[in-house]
Amino acid sequence: MTNSHPSTPHRAPTTAEPGEPGCAGGLTVLDPPGLLGPADAPEDGTDGTAAPSATVQDRLAGRLSDITSLHEHTERLAHARGLAATLDAVLASGAALLGADRGVLVTLMPGGGPGQPVGLGLDRASLGALETVPTEQSLLARLLGEDDRPEQLHSPDLAEDPAVGGRLRELAVQLGLGGAVGLPLATVEDGPLAAVVWFYDRPAEPTGGQRELARRYCEFAAPLLARQLEVERIRRTTEALRRGLLPDHLPRAAGLRLAARVVPAGLDHSSGSDWYDAIPLPDGTVGLTVGSVFGDGPGAGPGSAPGAAAAMGRIRAALRAYAVLEGEDPVSVLGDLELLLKTTEPTRTATAVYAWVEPGERRVTLAGAGHCPPVLVGRHGAEFVETSLSAPLGMLACWEAPGVEFTADRGDTLLLYTEGLARRCGPTLHTGQANLRRAAADAPRDVRIDPDRFCAHLLAVCPVPDAAPATDDLMLLAARFE
């Protein structure tokens, strides 16, 4: 195993008269800094004369080809969207530049140590086997080191290299790994970010020019990767906080079984934030609700999603308080929520359904504000519980709509859901709602009797569209009367 600390000093350009060797037709040929080292220079003739002009032209053509290839791969990397696409591009482009066959890449976790490996031409079992290499033998660990980090590692044959640890030599034989080249991805500001090792399927060693191209590619990739890792860190943190604003468990109530599903849209695509809740009330009844908060006003886009998520947490907390105070009157609950929204969140709107449920009597009273109608699923099919047509909260000078009362049969299931589920089930909101009702009605009986399985079934039969990424969260709350 060879550690490389390459240096590529810039050579001062030299001038040549039109008739001097090294000049073709008056064009002075200058080495692109670092792309070709002295070892790659054309050899002089044995009599000390310069190489023939054809050799110079071949050399120039090779350099232009290298520059073009590097440009194509950096362009491809610059257009990658998201962390996963960036990591895949680094693996694929590095392999192409080195003429390698396979590769593995790991990023440095915030707390230190390698993260989950990403592979090129390596299946999950092979990646798992490589993770068993002890840290002191791991090429990736050496490339991720904060101190004494090599600029490059290469071995012509891992299975026969005495500098490679025993476990890695053993895996090289098992997995058919020949030569290897490793490079770190690091910046001066961030330090080590990731490490990547490319493998050949046979004993092999890249040329100096190939290694230099790969090194320059990784220098370009490192700051892009740093930005993607920071975006990913912020996304994960925000998603964790966002999920923390939703219930961590559902209450138990005699005669009522509850289940829920949450599929949040990515914050870079989301145009709002949804909630669901099941609120145990002092008199033994239960309040059920789903709803959506949208942006910083009409036309608000994805940039407002984090603010909408924070507003969702505040509105859900307020709704819980109103439910405790006057839970059996859903119209009053939503009316109070509308007044709060206009007073404290004047640039936002919300849609909501709130249902007050008396489990023993299977009595339900509910009201909706511009939200998708709930679905009541029984032994004879499924039907919408039509709430009156109403504007979303915060849209009118004074919101009020009549409530709806009904008594469910034993074994019925009430489905509350947000717009994201309906849009997942069809190309339009109306079609999606109809498809959802049909999917609920057609669910097998053994699925309908278990709210958790029922929720999973509805998500399975309403596949994710192949088109643009979802811009709506998906919330589904199922309540079965027993």
Side-chain angles (χ1 to χ4, degrees), residues 32-396:
L35 282 180
L36 290 175
D40 298 291
E43 297 179 356
D44 289 349
T46 56
D47 59 353
T49 60
S53 60
T55 304
V56 175
Q57 291 174 357
D58 290 343
R59 184 181 177 208
L60 176 59
R63 292 175 182 171
L64 290 176
S65 176
D66 287 344
I67 294 171
T68 300
S69 179
L70 184 61
H71 174 73
E72 289 175 351
H73 286 289
T74 54
E75 278 285 301
R76 192 176 306 159
L77 179 64
H79 288 87
R81 292 292 177 265
L83 179 61
T86 298
L87 299 181
D88 288 343
V90 169
L91 277 168
S93 291
L97 292 170
L98 289 166
D101 304 291
R102 289 178 280 178
V104 59
L105 183 153
V106 295
T107 55
L108 190 66
M109 299 297 289
Q116 191 75 17
V118 179
L120 172 69
L122 295 168
D123 58 22
R124 183 63 256 174
S126 299
L127 291 174
L130 289 172
E131 287 185 282
T132 66
V133 175
T135 302
E136 63 273 12
Q137 299 180 21
S138 172
L139 307 183
L140 294 168
R142 291 173 64 184
L143 293 166
L144 287 172
E146 190 69 47
D147 302 319
D148 196 28
R149 181 175 65 252
E151 294 187 18
Q152 197 172 95
L153 293 172
H154 55 92
S155 172
D157 189 356
L158 288 173
E160 300 294 334
D161 193 337
V164 172
R167 176 57 178 162
L168 185 53
R169 289 200 305 271
E170 177 186 342
L171 287 176
V173 174
Q174 291 178 4
L175 303 178
L177 305 178
V181 179
L183 284 164
L185 287 97
T187 66
V188 175
E189 298 81 5
D190 304 289
L193 301 165
V196 57
V197 176
W198 290 278
F199 303 106
Y200 297 88
D201 289 342
R202 64 195 182 285
E205 187 170 4
T207 66
Q210 287 176 316
R211 288 202 301 267
E212 184 62 22
L213 284 173
R215 186 185 69 81
R216 287 184 173 272
Y217 177 81
C218 288
E219 285 181 349
F220 177 85
L224 296 181
L225 179 60
R227 287 195 288 272
Q228 291 290 353
L229 288 171
E230 178 64 13
V231 169
E232 181 68 9
R233 185 190 66 79
I234 293 173
R235 185 192 69 80
R236 288 179 179 273
T237 301
T238 306
E239 289 291 358
L241 292 173
R242 193 180 186 190
R243 286 182 176 272
L245 296 172
L246 297 173
D248 57 359
H249 69 280
L250 294 171
R252 296 179 179 273
L256 192 68
R257 291 179 63 192
L258 302 173
R261 285 293 187 278
V262 178
V263 182
L267 288 179
D268 50 344
H269 302 297
S270 178
S271 57
S273 189
D274 293 1
W275 79 79
Y276 78 94
D277 210 348
I279 309 160
L281 301 176
D283 59 358
T285 59
V286 178
L288 304 177
T289 178
V290 296
S292 304
V293 178
F294 296 98
D296 293 315
S304 62
M312 177 272 288
R314 296 190 293 268
I315 291 171
R316 172 178 164 260
L319 191 149
R320 290 177 69 89
Y322 297 144
V324 171
L325 293 174
E326 44 195 354
E328 63 182 279
D329 186 355
V331 172
S332 296
V333 171
L334 293 186
D336 291 344
L337 192 65
E338 195 266 349
L339 180 61
L340 177 76
L341 190 72
K342 290 176 62 178
T343 303
T344 63
E345 311 280 351
T347 62
R348 304 186 193 277
T349 60
T351 67
V353 168
Y354 175 75
W356 175 78
V357 178
E358 205 289 309
E361 300 294 327
R362 301 186 298 281
R363 189 156 53 97
V364 180
T365 304
L366 61 82
H371 202 81
C372 298
V375 176
L376 184 64
V377 185
R379 68 185 66 181
H380 300 300
E383 59 182 349
F384 291 116
V385 180
E386 291 292 351
T387 56
S388 61
L389 294 177
S390 168
L393 302 174
M395 295 290 287
L396 301 178

